[in-house]
Amino acid sequence: MAKVKKAPRPKAQAPKGFRDYFGAEVTERAEMLQKIAGVYHRYGFDALESSAVETVEALGKFLPDVDRPNEGVFAWQEDDDADWLALRYDLTAPLARVYAQNRNDLPTPYRRYAMGPVWRNEKPGPGRYRQFYQCDADTVGAGSVAADAEICAMLSDTLEVVGIERGDYIVRVNNRKVLNGVMEVCGIAGDDKEAERGIVLRAIDKLDRLGEDGVRLLLGEGRKDESGDYTKGAGLSAEQAEIVMGFMSAKRESGAATAARLSELVKGSVIGEAGVSELLTIAELLEAQGYGSDRIEIDPSVVRGLGYYTGPVFEAELTFEIQDEKGRPRNFGSVAGGGRYDDLVKRFTGQEVPATGVSIGVDRLLAALQMKGRLESHSVGPVVVTVMDKNRMADYQTMVSELRNAGIRAEVYLGNPKNFGNQLKYADKRNSPIAIIEGGDEKENGVIQIKDLILGAKIAESATLEEWKDRPSQYEVPRGDLVAKVREILESQA
Amino acid sequence: MAKVKKAPRPKAQAPKGFRDYFGAEVTERAEMLQKIAGVYHRYGFDALESSAVETVEALGKFLPDVDRPNEGVFAWQEDDDADWLALRYDLTAPLARVYAQNRNDLPTPYRRYAMGPVWRNEKPGPGRYRQFYQCDADTVGAGSVAADAEICAMLSDTLEVVGIERGDYIVRVNNRKVLNGVMEVCGIAGDDKEAERGIVLRAIDKLDRLGEDGVRLLLGEGRKDESGDYTKGAGLSAEQAEIVMGFMSAKRESGAATAARLSELVKGSVIGEAGVSELLTIAELLEAQGYGSDRIEIDPSVVRGLGYYTGPVFEAELTFEIQDEKGRPRNFGSVAGGGRYDDLVKRFTGQEVPATGVSIGVDRLLAALQMKGRLESHSVGPVVVTVMDKNRMADYQTMVSELRNAGIRAEVYLGNPKNFGNQLKYADKRNSPIAIIEGGDEKENGVIQIKDLILGAKIAESATLEEWKDRPSQYEVPRGDLVAKVREILESQA
C-alpha cells in the first residue's frame, strides 16, 4: 500500500499584524470599557453591537473603476454572484447603515454607543495592528450644536471616570465651518481649488513639525525639505497666508476672546461667521454646565484629518509629560476625537441626517492609565494547593472548594505532581500569592503548611542562611484554619 | 460636459445571516458574561482574547484536494502568494494555536477562558446566525481527570451564579472510552469499521427521536422511515445491538451503580474498563467537593457529536419545562457542553498535549434566563428634559447635568423642539420614566413640572376624564427640588 502523505505541520502563529491578548490585558480593557459604558449610559446613550461583517457596498468601500473593494478592508466574495463582504474598519460606517436600516423603529435623535474590534487591511508596524478596539458614542438626527457640546462634556466626564485627573487632559473644540470661512476669505473656496485646500489642511496639520516658517512656505510657493525634495505650495499670497497663520494662532485666554479673534479673520464669509457663532454657543452651553476652560476649550489649531466632518470637531489630549523613544519629554497626546458629520446616512436614504460623535482610542487610553498607575492590578494569581499524594486528589480539591466558596481565587496543581519543585515553579509562573502543602505527616497530624510566596520572595532576596532556615514565611496551622489563615495572609499582602 | 454617473444608493441591510444587537440585548449579555468570568477567574482561569482572524492552515480548515478552505469558514486570500486567512469558527482551534505558539511562556497546565464572537459560513435559518458568541473555559496540559471534574464543578457553579437555580439544571458526564469499549465488545473497533462506528454514534444521538425500536433497526440491518427512505444500518447482531442498547440505558441511581453496570457491558475491553474507572474517579472527586447527583451525574446517554473528544464528555441541560412551537411541554435542553480532546495541539507541535474544556451556548443561556425572569431589566430609558424655549438650552442642559451628577440617567431633547407632542412621543419611544418641563411661566416662578410617565400611562388606561384632568401624575416643584423629586419618583416606580 502506498504511504499516505502526511500533511505538513501548520505554523503556530497568528497572522501577520494580528495579536493575542492575555490575562490582565483583557480584563483591564474590559473594566475600562465598562466604566466608559457607565458614563455613556448615564448620558442616555444606548448600546449597539452591530455585525462585524458588512457588505462592501454598505461600507462605501467599493473602488469605482475596478469593481472590487478598496484595499484598506479585509474583503471576500463567496462566488461571482454573491455580494462582496468585508470586516468593518470602524464603528461609524456601520452606525450609518444600522440607522438607515432601522430609522422607523429607532428614536430620533438616536444616541448610541458601541465598543468592539475593527479591522484594517494596512501594513502593520510597531504597535500598529490590523485588529484593534474602538469605543464610540454618537448622536444621530440632532442638528443642534447642543449635541456636540454634550459629546464634549461626556468625553470630559469619561476621562475622569476612568482615572485621568482634571488638569491632566484637555478637550479642544474647533469648527470646520470656521476653517471653510478662512478658505473662502483666502479665495480658495471654489470647486476648482480642492487641491489648494488639501495643501492648506495638510500644512496646518504639520505646524508642530515644520514650525511657522515651514508652514508659511507650504501656504505660499512651496517648500524644499532637507533632502532636497520639493513639496508644492497652495500658492497663497503673503496676505492670504497671514490669515491662515492667524487662524492657527487665534486661541486666546477665553472662548469669547478666541471667537472674537476668529470673527475678525472670517469677516464677510457667511459660513465662517456661522461657524464662529456655533463655537460661541458650544462654549456658552458648556460654561453653563460648569465645564470651564480647564476641561474644554476652543482651540482653532484642532483640524482632524477625516474628510467627512462638516461642523464642530473635537479632540481630547492628555497633557501630562512622558518621554519619547529618545528620552525627550513630550505630552502624552491625543486619546479621542470626533466631530459632526452630516452626510453619512444620506448615502443610504437620500435624506440628510445630521450626526455627531466621538471615538476613543482604547489602546492609547489604556496605555495612559498604565503609566499613571490607575489600573487595578489583575496579575495576582490563584492560591495553589500542591499535590503531595496523587491518590488524595479529593482532599486537595476539597481545600480548593473551601477557598473558592470563600471568594478566594484558588486551584489545585493539575500537572504531573511527581516533582514538587515543578509545582512551586508553576506557582511562581502563575504569580501565586500562597501555596498550600499537605503531605502524609500533615494529614496525620491534622495540619497544613501555608507558604506566603510574596514574603518568601522578599526574604529570599536579603535573608541570611540562618534567617532563611527559620522559614518565617511558612506557617503550620490546623486544617480547619485554612480559609482564615489564607485570608489573613492575602490581606497582609494587599 | 458629460454627466457624472451617480453611484446607486447602497442597501441599508446587514449581510444575510448577520444581525445587530440593540440596548438591553447587548448589556444583558455583557453582564451575564461578566458573572461567568468571575467564576472562571475564581477557579484560577486566565482571560485570553485571541485574534479573530487566523490562517486557514492554523484552523485546520484546508480542504486537502482543492487547495482552498472548507466552505464552513469565511476565508479570503489577498493575492496568490499570500496565506489564506479566515475568521475563527470556534474558540478551541485558536486556543490550540495560541498554546502551541506560546508554550514556553505559558504555565502548564494552562487554564484559560475566552469569550467572543465566532463566525460560521453556513446557511442561516430562523434563530441561526453566521456570527454568534461563545464562552469557553479549557485546561491545556493536564492529563488527570481531576481537570475534567473541575470543569464540571465550575460549570455547575457558573449556572447557579448567572441565575439558574439548583434543581433547574443537571450536568451529565460520560466517557468516550466507555463507548469505545462498547464498540470493541461489539467487534467494530477496527480501522476498517469506521463507517459502522459512525452509524452507531448517530443512532445513539437519535434515541429521543426514533425510540428504542428505531435505534435497534439502525444498529442492525437498517431502517426505512415513513417517507420510504432507507438508512443503512451498522450490521450488528441482535446480541451486539443489545450491548449498545444496554449502554444507553445504563444509568442507575448512583454513580457507583452506573459504573458497575457499565463495567459489565465493557468487560474484556481495556479501553472500556479504563473509561469506567475514569468515570468513577470523577464521581468520587465531585462527591468529595459536595457536588451530589442533584447537580452532576454520570449518564451514558451523553455522546456529544464532535469527533475530536477522546475521554470524558459533559453536557449541561436545563431541566425546567418550556413549551415547544406546538405548545407541547418539553425540557429547555442543553446550554453547554464539552469534553477532553488530547490531539488538537499535536497538529502544531507533534507532541500530544492533553486538554479538556467546556463551551457555553451564550444565546441559549440568555434565552433561558429571560424565560426565568432572571435578567435585570435595562429597558428603563433616561429622564427626558424637554425643550420649551430653544434659546434656553443652557438651562435645560444644566438640569440634565445636575441629574447625571446625581447618578441619574438623563438627557435633554435634542431634536427639533417646535412640536411638544413629538418630544413626549420621543420620551415614550425611549421608555422614559419621567419628563421635565420648564416653560416661560415656570421659569418666572422658579418652578418646574415633573411628569411621572409610568404612573401617567397607568392612569390613562383606567381614569375617568375628571381624574385625568387633575393630572395626578404631574408635580410642580421648586426648581431647586429637581433631583430630590426625580429620585423620589424613580424610587416609587422601582
Side-chain angles (χ1 to χ4, degrees):
Chain A
M1 226 176 88
K3 255 195 182 166
V4 176
K5 205 179 140 197
K6 259 196 177 169
R9 276 189 207 146
K11 268 195 294 280
Q13 190 73 46
K16 208 176 160 216
F18 290 89
R19 59 163 290 195
D20 308 307
Y21 295 83
F22 293 87
E25 293 175 330
V26 178
T27 51
E28 284 168 355
R29 182 177 58 206
E31 270 164 42
M32 185 183 83
L33 291 178
Q34 203 190 332
K35 285 180 191 163
I36 295 175
V39 179
Y40 289 177
H41 179 81
R42 193 147 43 83
Y43 269 77
F45 286 68
D46 275 346
L48 169 67
E49 185 170 327
S50 68
S51 158
V53 177
E54 296 276 350
T55 63
V56 170
E57 191 194 4
L59 291 181
K61 284 290 179 183
F62 238 90
L63 293 181
D65 296 329
V66 291
D67 233 27
R68 61 157 293 151
N70 183 312
E71 290 183 349
V73 297
F74 289 104
W76 63 89
Q77 189 183 30
E78 286 306 311
D79 56 64
D80 289 346
D81 297 330
D83 286 336
W84 274 94
L85 301 181
L87 290 172
R88 65 184 178 205
Y89 63 91
D90 73 3
L91 300 173
T92 312
L95 169 63
R97 192 269 301 158
V98 168
Y99 182 80
Q101 182 175 345
N102 301 279
R103 60 191 181 281
N104 295 325
D105 301 319
L106 291 172
T108 296
Y110 176 48
R111 287 174 171 92
R112 87 87 181 78
Y113 69 87
M115 305 169 158
V118 300
W119 293 266
R120 301 266 169 97
N121 193 357
E122 290 167 357
K123 213 177 137 76
R128 271 168 61 98
Y129 295 98
R130 296 168 127 181
Q131 172 180 335
F132 55 93
Y133 264 74
Q134 287 196 336
C135 168
D136 287 20
D138 295 80
T139 302
V140 180
S144 157
V145 292
D148 302 281
E150 178 177 80
I151 296 269
C152 292
M154 187 165 76
L155 182 51
S156 166
D157 284 10
T158 298
L159 293 173
E160 294 188 14
V161 163
V162 300
I164 305 291
E165 273 169 23
R166 203 168 297 180
D168 271 348
Y169 73 91
I170 187 79
V171 176
R172 303 186 205 279
V173 189
N174 193 11
N175 195 324
R176 274 290 172 85
K177 289 182 183 169
V178 179
L179 185 58
N180 291 343
V182 168
M183 304 277 198
E184 200 172 52
V185 171
C186 292
I188 53 170
D191 281 349
D192 56 334
K193 300 284 189 186
E194 209 182 320
E196 284 79 1
R197 288 198 297 277
I199 295 173
V200 170
L201 261 179
R202 285 189 295 277
I204 292 175
D205 246 2
K206 286 180 188 158
L207 179 62
D208 270 1
R209 201 151 53 77
L210 303 182
E212 284 197 22
D213 290 344
V215 173
R216 236 180 270 265
L217 287 171
L218 285 174
L219 294 175
E221 286 163 23
R223 176 177 175 275
K224 203 184 279 188
D225 69 14
E226 284 148 26
S227 71
D229 279 352
Y230 178 77
T231 310
K232 200 177 168 243
L236 298 187
S237 70
E239 204 183 3
Q240 289 169 330
E242 218 41 58
I243 299 174
V244 176
M245 300 303 295
F247 169 77
M248 285 185 280
S249 59
K251 190 163 160 259
R252 298 290 181 270
E253 275 305 297
S254 72
T258 304
R261 171 66 182 138
L262 289 173
S263 269
E264 289 170 27
L265 290 167
V266 299
K267 197 175 248 20
S269 159
V270 173
I271 190 157
E273 285 173 2
V276 174
S277 153
E278 286 182 4
L279 279 178
L280 262 178
T281 305
I282 290 174
E284 280 164 18
L285 286 171
L286 291 169
E287 191 75 37
Q289 290 171 76
Y291 294 86
S293 59
D294 56 333
R295 289 193 269 175
I296 308 177
E297 63 175 14
I298 294 179
D299 185 340
S301 70
V302 173
V303 172
R304 307 282 311 152
L306 284 175
Y308 63 61
Y309 291 124
T310 55
V313 289
F314 19 88
E315 193 161 75
E317 190 185 328
L318 302 192
T319 51
F320 58 83
E321 253 182 25
I322 57 165
Q323 298 198 328
D324 69 8
E325 38 318 339
K326 293 186 181 161
R328 291 167 305 202
R330 63 168 181 84
N331 279 358
F332 186 89
S334 173
V335 292
R340 177 165 286 279
Y341 52 97
D342 287 345
D343 297 331
L344 283 190
V345 177
K346 192 180 177 185
R347 287 183 52 239
F348 294 98
T349 63
Q351 290 171 310
E352 200 160 284
V353 179
T356 183
V358 67
S359 181
I360 290 178
V362 173
D363 292 324
R364 281 189 56 76
L365 186 53
L366 260 179
L369 294 173
Q370 211 133 34
M371 283 181 190
K372 286 293 215 177
R374 293 291 153 67
L375 295 174
E376 282 170 53
S377 176
H378 289 275
S379 49
V380 176
V383 172
V384 169
V385 176
T386 59
V387 175
M388 304 301 286
D389 175 353
K390 70 182 162 72
N391 294 318
R392 288 204 292 107
M393 192 55 104
D395 288 350
Y396 303 126
Q397 290 280 24
T398 305
M399 290 188 214
V400 160
S401 280
E402 287 172 23
L403 291 167
R404 288 172 180 161
N405 289 339
I408 295 166
R409 190 178 196 207
E411 53 171 59
V412 71
Y413 180 71
L414 285 178
N416 185 341
K418 223 157 78 185
N419 181 333
F420 187 68
N422 277 349
Q423 300 198 42
L424 289 185
K425 266 186 221 156
Y426 171 83
D428 192 46
K429 208 159 194 175
R430 290 302 315 268
N431 235 327
S432 299
I434 290 169
I436 313 286
I437 303 163
E438 191 202 48
D441 290 349
E442 282 90 7
K443 175 78 179 171
E444 217 163 88
N445 299 325
V447 296
I448 50 176
Q449 305 286 340
I450 303 189
K451 278 176 91 80
D452 180 337
L453 299 174
I454 310 283
L455 183 60
K458 245 185 237 158
I459 290 171
E461 275 174 16
S462 61
T464 62
L465 185 62
E466 286 311 302
E467 286 169 338
W468 187 79
K469 272 189 181 158
D470 281 348
R471 296 194 300 185
S473 62
Q474 184 162 329
Y475 312 94
E476 183 174 295
V477 301
R479 168 68 181 80
D481 292 353
L482 168 68
V483 169
K485 186 68 189 175
V486 164
R487 192 172 271 152
E488 182 194 313
I489 296 174
L490 287 176
E491 274 162 17
S492 78
Q493 291 171 346
Chain B
M1 226 177 88
K3 256 195 180 165
V4 177
K5 206 179 138 196
K6 259 195 176 170
R9 277 187 208 149
K11 267 195 295 280
Q13 192 73 46
K16 210 177 156 211
F18 291 89
R19 59 162 292 195
D20 308 306
Y21 295 82
F22 294 87
E25 293 174 332
V26 178
T27 51
E28 284 168 356
R29 182 178 57 206
E31 270 164 41
M32 186 184 83
L33 291 177
Q34 203 191 332
K35 285 180 191 164
I36 295 175
V39 179
Y40 290 179
H41 180 81
R42 193 147 43 82
Y43 269 76
F45 286 68
D46 275 345
L48 169 67
E49 184 171 327
S50 67
S51 159
V53 177
E54 297 277 350
T55 63
V56 170
E57 190 194 4
L59 290 181
K61 283 290 179 182
F62 238 89
L63 293 181
D65 297 328
V66 292
D67 231 28
R68 61 157 294 152
N70 183 312
E71 289 183 350
V73 297
F74 289 104
W76 63 91
Q77 189 184 30
E78 286 305 313
D79 56 64
D80 289 346
D81 298 331
D83 286 336
W84 274 94
L85 301 181
L87 290 172
R88 64 184 179 204
Y89 64 90
D90 72 4
L91 299 173
T92 311
L95 169 62
R97 192 268 302 158
V98 168
Y99 182 79
Q101 182 175 345
N102 301 280
R103 61 190 180 281
N104 295 326
D105 301 319
L106 291 173
T108 296
Y110 176 49
R111 286 173 171 93
R112 86 87 179 80
Y113 69 87
M115 303 170 160
V118 301
W119 292 266
R120 301 265 169 96
N121 193 358
E122 289 168 356
K123 212 176 137 76
R128 273 169 59 98
Y129 296 98
R130 297 169 126 180
Q131 172 180 334
F132 55 91
Y133 264 74
Q134 286 196 336
C135 168
D136 286 21
D138 294 79
T139 302
V140 181
S144 157
V145 291
D148 302 280
E150 177 176 80
I151 297 268
C152 292
M154 186 164 76
L155 182 51
S156 166
D157 284 9
T158 298
L159 293 173
E160 294 188 14
V161 163
V162 300
I164 304 291
E165 274 168 24
R166 202 169 298 180
D168 271 349
Y169 73 92
I170 188 80
V171 176
R172 303 185 205 280
V173 189
N174 193 10
N175 195 326
R176 274 290 172 86
K177 290 181 184 170
V178 180
L179 185 57
N180 291 343
V182 168
M183 304 275 199
E184 200 171 53
V185 172
C186 291
I188 53 170
D191 281 348
D192 56 334
K193 300 283 189 189
E194 208 182 322
E196 283 78 0
R197 289 197 298 276
I199 295 172
V200 169
L201 262 179
R202 285 190 294 278
I204 294 176
D205 245 2
K206 286 180 188 159
L207 180 62
D208 269 1
R209 200 150 54 78
L210 302 183
E212 285 196 20
D213 290 344
V215 172
R216 236 181 271 266
L217 286 171
L218 285 174
L219 294 175
E221 287 163 22
R223 176 177 176 275
K224 203 184 277 186
D225 69 14
E226 285 147 27
S227 72
D229 281 351
Y230 178 77
T231 309
K232 200 177 168 242
L236 299 186
S237 70
E239 204 181 6
Q240 290 171 327
E242 218 41 58
I243 298 174
V244 176
M245 299 305 294
F247 170 75
M248 284 185 278
S249 59
K251 191 164 158 257
R252 297 290 180 267
E253 275 304 296
S254 72
T258 305
R261 171 66 182 137
L262 289 173
S263 268
E264 289 169 28
L265 291 167
V266 299
K267 197 175 248 31
S269 159
V270 173
I271 189 155
E273 286 173 3
V276 175
S277 152
E278 286 182 4
L279 278 178
L280 263 179
T281 306
I282 290 174
E284 280 164 17
L285 285 172
L286 290 169
E287 192 75 39
Q289 290 171 76
Y291 293 87
S293 60
D294 55 333
R295 289 193 269 176
I296 308 177
E297 63 175 14
I298 294 180
D299 185 340
S301 71
V302 172
V303 174
R304 308 280 313 152
L306 283 176
Y308 61 62
Y309 291 123
T310 55
V313 289
F314 18 89
E315 191 160 78
E317 190 184 329
L318 302 192
T319 50
F320 59 83
E321 252 182 26
I322 56 166
Q323 298 199 327
D324 70 8
E325 42 311 343
K326 292 184 182 162
R328 291 168 305 202
R330 63 169 181 84
N331 280 358
F332 186 89
S334 172
V335 292
R340 177 165 286 278
Y341 52 98
D342 287 344
D343 297 332
L344 282 190
V345 177
K346 191 180 178 185
R347 288 184 52 238
F348 294 98
T349 62
Q351 290 170 311
E352 199 159 285
V353 179
T356 183
V358 66
S359 181
I360 291 178
V362 174
D363 292 323
R364 281 189 56 76
L365 185 53
L366 260 179
L369 294 172
Q370 212 133 35
M371 282 179 190
K372 286 293 214 178
R374 294 290 153 69
L375 295 173
E376 282 170 53
S377 176
H378 289 278
S379 50
V380 175
V383 172
V384 169
V385 176
T386 60
V387 174
M388 304 300 287
D389 176 352
K390 71 181 160 72
N391 295 317
R392 288 204 290 108
M393 193 55 104
D395 289 350
Y396 303 126
Q397 290 280 24
T398 304
M399 289 188 214
V400 159
S401 280
E402 286 172 23
L403 291 167
R404 287 171 181 162
N405 289 339
I408 295 166
R409 190 178 196 208
E411 53 170 58
V412 71
Y413 180 71
L414 285 178
N416 185 340
K418 224 157 79 186
N419 181 334
F420 186 69
N422 278 349
Q423 300 198 41
L424 290 185
K425 266 186 223 156
Y426 171 84
D428 192 45
K429 207 158 195 176
R430 291 302 316 268
N431 236 326
S432 299
I434 290 169
I436 313 287
I437 303 163
E438 192 202 48
D441 290 349
E442 282 89 7
K443 175 78 178 172
E444 216 162 87
N445 298 325
V447 298
I448 49 176
Q449 304 287 337
I450 303 189
K451 277 176 92 81
D452 179 336
L453 299 174
I454 310 285
L455 183 60
K458 245 184 236 158
I459 291 171
E461 275 173 16
S462 62
T464 63
L465 186 62
E466 286 312 300
E467 286 169 338
W468 187 79
K469 271 188 181 158
D470 282 349
R471 296 193 301 185
S473 62
Q474 182 162 332
Y475 312 94
E476 183 174 295
V477 301
R479 168 68 181 80
D481 292 353
L482 167 68
V483 170
K485 187 68 190 174
V486 165
R487 192 172 271 152
E488 183 193 314
I489 296 174
L490 288 176
E491 275 161 17
S492 77
Q493 291 171 347

